[in-house]
Amino acid sequence: MLVHPQFDPVAINLGFIQIHWYGLTYLAAFGMFSWLATRRIQQAPYAAGGWTPREVDDLLFYGVMGVILGGRLGYVLFYKPSYYLANPGEILAVWKGGMAFHGGLLGVIVAMAVFAWVHQKRFFEVTDLVAPCVPTGLACGRVGNFINGELWGRAADASLPWAMVFPQSGSEVARHPSQVYQFLLEGMLLFAILWLYGRTRSAHYRADGSILWGRVSGLFLIGYGTFRFIAEYFREPDSFLGLLTMNLSMGQWLCVPMVVAGIVIWASAGRRA
């Protein structure tokens, strides 16, 4: 069996300030988004739509605000509402941990709607641009989870070549390195699917040549929801929640409306004027 190396969560210690690996992975995620989005506005149909690198910078700013505020509020509301209701002063204590992807997604959706309104863009035009640039950021986040030795997997057969003991779990049980599974599925594989699909003509044009919006966004919701649902079978449920109805985790239940919404958005994109 492998044993998690228990990295020091502090990457750089200058005495008066500490820079954590998790913070660096967030920085890498935002950097990757900026680079990919700058390349994406050079592709059809964005190249003819007047998008500029300055708008990409603005888009990143809105997205960062959405990720941080939405991710934190999502964790508070979806996972520990009673605790934070009793301790409202800790809601903003993000340095103590606690971010939820589904909350971050809702935060980004609101941020993209505000960006679209301010810059007079179509909402799905903005989200179709953003969608393929997001999974690499998710992959960076899973690297941070692995370095921190958090969000470990469920018990695995000790004969599994990549089964790993996470001492942080308080046991010597061999577990699935679920952070790696999520890095590969909702990170790298989802990125490859969306980036390649986003370059095809059918993703943005109807048969008559007119532009359509929403298919890339819909595929993102379908892809992430499906991959996360699968990965949750290998990830240890939160101890304070456990498994819910039908032996599904909170993460899996939150993925169900994502997939349904994705199917509706993708299917209706070609018919929407």
Side-chain angles (χ1 to χ4, degrees):
M1 291 183 297
L2 303 175
V3 178
H4 185 268
Q6 294 184 278
F7 300 99
D8 185 343
V10 178
I12 302 173
N13 191 343
L14 301 178
F16 62 93
I17 188 172
Q18 294 180 336
I19 301 176
H20 289 244
W21 283 110
Y22 202 59
L24 292 178
T25 61
Y26 264 69
L27 186 62
F30 297 144
M32 286 294 296
F33 174 88
S34 180
W35 182 67
L36 290 171
T38 301
R39 292 190 62 190
R40 184 139 169 76
I41 63 173
Q42 299 171 11
Q43 301 170 1
Y46 295 100
W51 280 81
T52 66
R54 175 62 181 272
E55 288 177 317
V56 170
D57 292 340
D58 289 347
L59 190 59
L60 176 60
F61 173 77
Y62 281 83
V64 169
M65 293 297 101
V67 166
I68 295 175
L69 296 177
R72 182 57 175 177
L73 292 177
Y75 181 79
V76 169
L77 296 174
F78 297 151
Y79 290 90
K80 288 187 174 183
S82 59
Y83 173 83
Y84 287 104
L85 183 63
N87 302 276
E90 294 192 27
I91 292 178
L92 298 180
V94 294
W95 56 89
K96 293 185 178 181
M99 297 284 282
F101 166 80
H102 296 90
L105 174 64
L106 293 175
V108 168
I109 289 174
V110 172
M112 295 303 97
V114 174
F115 174 90
W117 177 71
V118 170
H119 290 266
Q120 298 184 336
K121 306 282 188 183
R122 296 175 180 84
F123 173 72
F124 282 112
E125 176 184 358
V126 176
T127 57
D128 277 4
L129 186 153
V130 167
C133 309
V134 170
T136 53
L138 301 179
C140 290
R142 296 311 174 193
V143 171
N145 294 146
F146 182 79
I147 291 175
N148 285 349
E150 60 192 9
L151 305 182
W152 50 76
R154 303 187 192 189
D157 190 324
S159 64
L160 188 70
W162 54 85
M164 179 172 289
V165 173
F166 288 86
Q168 300 91 331
S169 68
S171 71
E172 297 299 315
V173 174
R175 299 178 179 276
H176 289 282
S178 55
Q179 313 96 324
V180 178
Y181 298 173
Q182 291 185 262
F183 167 86
L184 295 173
L185 286 175
E186 65 202 43
M188 305 315 296
L189 180 57
L190 184 58
F191 164 71
I193 292 172
L194 291 174
W195 190 261
L196 293 176
Y197 178 69
R199 294 173 64 91
T200 63
R201 182 175 178 80
S202 61
H204 294 298
Y205 294 95
R206 298 182 180 85
D208 62 5
S210 60
I211 298 177
L212 61 84
W213 303 109
R215 281 186 174 168
V216 182
S217 303
L219 186 60
F220 171 84
L221 294 175
I222 296 169
Y224 179 87
T226 301
F227 291 148
R228 175 67 181 269
F229 192 94
I230 294 171
E232 285 282 328
Y233 280 117
F234 301 95
R235 176 171 160 175
E236 184 73 16
D238 295 288
S239 58
F240 52 86
L241 284 177
L243 294 176
L244 307 178
T245 307
M246 298 175 61
N247 284 328
L248 298 180
S249 67
M250 174 63 81
Q252 287 174 310
W253 277 114
L254 292 173
C255 285
V256 173
M258 280 187 66
V259 174
V260 173
I263 293 172
V264 171
I265 291 170
W266 191 94
S268 62
R271 299 191 298 272
R272 186 169 49 245

